[in-house]
Amino acid sequence: MRIGVYAHRCKDRKLVPFMLDLQYDVDLTACNTFGFRVVAERFIRIDELGQLPPLCDHCEKERLPLLLLGGGSNLVLSERLPGVVAQMALSGWRVEELGDGESDVTVGAGVPWPATVERALDEDLYGLENLAMIPGTVGAAPVQNIGAYGVELKDRVRYVEGYDRHTRQFIQLSQADCAFRYRGSVFKANPERYIITAVHLRLSKTPALNLSYAALEEHCRMVAGDKGVITPRHVFTAVCQLRQSKLPEPAEIGSAGSFFQNPVVSEAHYRELKVKFPSLVAHPDAHGYKLAAGWLIEQCGWKGKRLEQVGVYEKQALVLVNLGGGDRAQIERLATAIQVSVQERFGVLLEPEPRFYP
Ligand code: FAD
Ligand code: NAP
């Protein structure tokens, strides 16, 4: 069933009726990468900025919760979603050359992230190669400051455009305003406040490779072969190959990527653990030491294990998977069991990375 909700927006300084096309009881099973059976009570596709003010007014007036949905690759959803689910489908790609080999690229929130990385590379705009093949949309990328192989989105963001539900204004947030941190940002900390509409990236015609991850550098050398000189295209190919060798393809096996964040512990705690577990995988971090959560989980014997219809991916223990017919409750039971065993063995609490909704 579809209904139109009339609201008003400002056009040529006049109030004009604006129709919000809400659909009811929409199946979102194909819109979350876990592949859980999910139904949205109300659903709307956002493909114009003008939809946002009346939508937010409507939700506030009717006291309806609002979930912004991108590609559903970092969400753990319940079977029935109350309120409104707004799928962000804003398009757009604009390049502004700055004259010194640098370019500002503005990309709409609904554009798929993997296609953005590929298009930038095709247009000889470098800087995103290490972030190849991360599922989802451009609008969600700042939310958890996506990162892989030593590069984070924050390294390439100039500012983010959005709609502030508190002030009811369209706004721009500078890189500093976004308060980016490891797998987090002001957007992740305030999920009810900001709707990201576009992201401005600063990319370069001059390659500046980040090969700080040993596995990536080694694989790049193999991809580059005899010619020896590693190019951004080689990095892109190497990242794609490494990811394909370790991660489940969402269309085949449901997951949300890494289920837990890598925990950061104090230097003293790290040293204590390193004495007890000499093969501990850890990297120095601004706040202490970042432990590889996948290694902790594997050491507790979880890799490849199944519990009900969900499990721990056999090639990467940090990834929890839907083996067919699983749901949020089963993933929560599995996640809790893993947290308990890691806490008991290493004294470290693993925090989930995806958002649980509602
Ligand atoms: P969704 O899952 O739809 O939403 C995630 C959050 O963002 C929700 O809170 C949602 O409400 C909010 N949101 C969505 N759109 C907007 C918007 N326009 N404005 C404001 N809020 C919004 N992550 C990494 O960091 N690095 C990786 O290497 C990585 N690899 C992955 C591999 C696999 C196989 C999978 C399944 C996931 C992986 N992820 C990774 C996690 C995920 O892909 C990213 O977090 C991605 O940015 C989520 O995008 P999405 O569009 O699917 O967001
Ligand atoms: P990996 O290369 O086997 O490394 C294992 C862990 O060690 C990772 O967690 C990584 O931290 C850390 N690490 C490795 N080299 C490092 C270095 N030089 N400096 C600092 N930390 C280092 O990891 P992987 O599982 O194959 O994943 C490869 C990359 O893809 C990682 O960056 C990972 O975060 C990313 N990824 C993320 C998701 C997600 O959903 N968030 C899913 C799949 C892959 P970091 O995780 O902090 O990089």
Side-chain angles (χ1 to χ4, degrees), residues 259-338:
F259 196 85
F260 297 102
Q261 294 179 36
N262 289 322
V264 176
V265 298
S266 67
E267 184 164 351
H269 192 172
Y270 161 73
R271 299 220 171 279
E272 196 186 304
L273 286 172
K274 191 75 183 164
V275 171
K276 273 167 91 180
F277 306 98
S279 58
L280 178 73
V281 179
H283 293 87
D285 171 270
H287 309 285
Y289 275 78
K290 179 181 72 177
L291 310 182
W295 185 89
L296 302 174
I297 298 167
E298 195 176 339
Q299 294 303 304
C300 293
W302 282 105
K303 200 172 185 178
K305 283 271 165 67
R306 178 187 185 117
L307 209 65
E308 303 171 81
Q309 285 140 305
V310 297
V312 180
Y313 192 50
E314 66 212 2
K315 296 184 196 164
Q316 165 55 289
L318 197 46
V319 178
L320 304 194
V321 291
N322 178 7
L323 296 167
D327 59 21
R328 170 179 169 160
Q330 292 181 21
I331 279 287
E332 282 179 317
R333 283 193 285 276
L334 174 61
T336 305
I338 292 171

Side-chain angles (χ1 to χ4, degrees), residues 4-327:
V5 172
Y6 283 88
H8 288 80
R9 69 172 171 174
C10 212
K11 189 181 173 201
D12 303 332
R13 284 192 248 141
K14 284 188 208 132
L15 284 176
V16 294
F18 190 88
M19 193 160 122
L20 291 174
D21 209 357
L22 289 177
Q23 299 172 46
Y24 279 67
D25 290 331
V26 174
D27 186 344
L28 297 184
T29 308
C31 300
N32 73 100
T33 57
F34 256 123
F36 292 157
R37 233 187 69 83
V38 172
V39 172
E41 273 177 13
R42 298 170 194 77
F43 176 86
I44 185 167
R45 193 180 141 86
I46 302 293
D47 46 24
E48 275 198 65
L49 286 179
Q51 289 168 284
L52 293 175
L55 173 66
C56 294
D57 290 350
H58 177 68
C59 289
E60 194 174 309
K61 194 166 136 237
E62 302 297 324
R63 293 174 186 272
L64 296 171
L66 172 64
L67 172 71
L68 303 167
L69 179 70
S73 64
N74 215 21
L75 283 165
V76 183
L77 300 173
S78 299
E79 200 168 334
R80 193 154 179 87
L81 304 183
V84 179
V85 174
Q87 186 172 48
M88 300 302 291
L90 295 164
S91 58
W93 171 273
R94 198 179 67 239
V95 180
E96 191 191 333
E97 290 195 12
L98 302 174
D100 52 359
E102 307 268 282
S103 294
D104 276 352
V105 185
T106 309
V107 194
V111 177
W113 177 261
T116 300
V117 175
E118 285 189 52
R119 183 161 179 184
L121 196 56
D122 288 346
E123 297 190 14
D124 297 324
L125 296 166
Y126 307 130
L128 302 180
E129 309 75 58
N130 297 47
L131 303 177
M133 276 188 82
I134 299 181
T137 52
V138 166
V143 175
Q144 83 151 3
N145 179 26
I146 54 170
Y149 295 104
V151 172
E152 291 180 323
L153 185 82
K154 73 167 174 50
D155 304 329
R156 308 291 178 249
V157 166
R158 273 202 67 229
Y159 59 93
V160 167
E161 279 181 30
Y163 182 72
D164 182 342
R165 294 173 65 192
H166 287 187
T167 62
R168 298 172 184 225
Q169 304 271 328
F170 283 98
I171 49 154
Q172 276 189 1
L173 278 90
S174 68
Q175 207 260 16
D177 293 336
C178 294
F180 288 121
R181 57 177 177 77
Y182 183 61
R183 303 289 188 264
S185 66
V186 71
F187 312 108
K188 196 165 184 177
N190 299 278
E192 310 302 332
R193 180 157 185 186
Y194 300 106
I195 302 178
I196 296 169
T197 56
V199 178
H200 292 245
L201 303 163
R202 173 70 54 89
L203 302 179
S204 177
K205 294 267 178 202
T206 313
L209 307 183
N210 183 326
L211 301 177
S212 56
Y213 278 36
L216 179 61
E217 181 172 15
E218 196 183 308
H219 205 78
C220 282
R221 296 213 175 284
M222 204 187 79
V223 171
D226 296 339
K227 294 186 190 96
V229 181
I230 299 173
T231 65
R233 176 70 62 182
H234 292 137
V235 177
F236 172 82
T237 305
V239 168
C240 292
Q241 289 179 356
L242 285 169
R243 293 182 70 98
Q244 280 160 342
S245 71
K246 281 195 179 179
L247 293 172
E249 166 55 42
E252 287 159 22
I253 304 176
S255 85
S258 302
F259 196 85
F260 297 102
Q261 294 179 36
N262 289 322
V264 176
V265 298
S266 67
E267 184 164 351
H269 192 172
Y270 161 73
R271 299 220 171 279
E272 196 186 304
L273 286 172
K274 191 75 183 164
V275 171
K276 273 167 91 180
F277 306 98
S279 58
L280 178 73
V281 179
H283 293 87
D285 171 270
H287 309 285
Y289 275 78
K290 179 181 72 177
L291 310 182
W295 185 89
L296 302 174
I297 298 167
E298 195 176 339
Q299 294 303 304
C300 293
W302 282 105
K303 200 172 185 178
K305 283 271 165 67
R306 178 187 185 117
L307 209 65
E308 303 171 81
Q309 285 140 305
V310 297
V312 180
Y313 192 50
E314 66 212 2
K315 296 184 196 164
Q316 165 55 289
L318 197 46
V319 178
L320 304 194
V321 291
N322 178 7
L323 296 167
D327 59 21

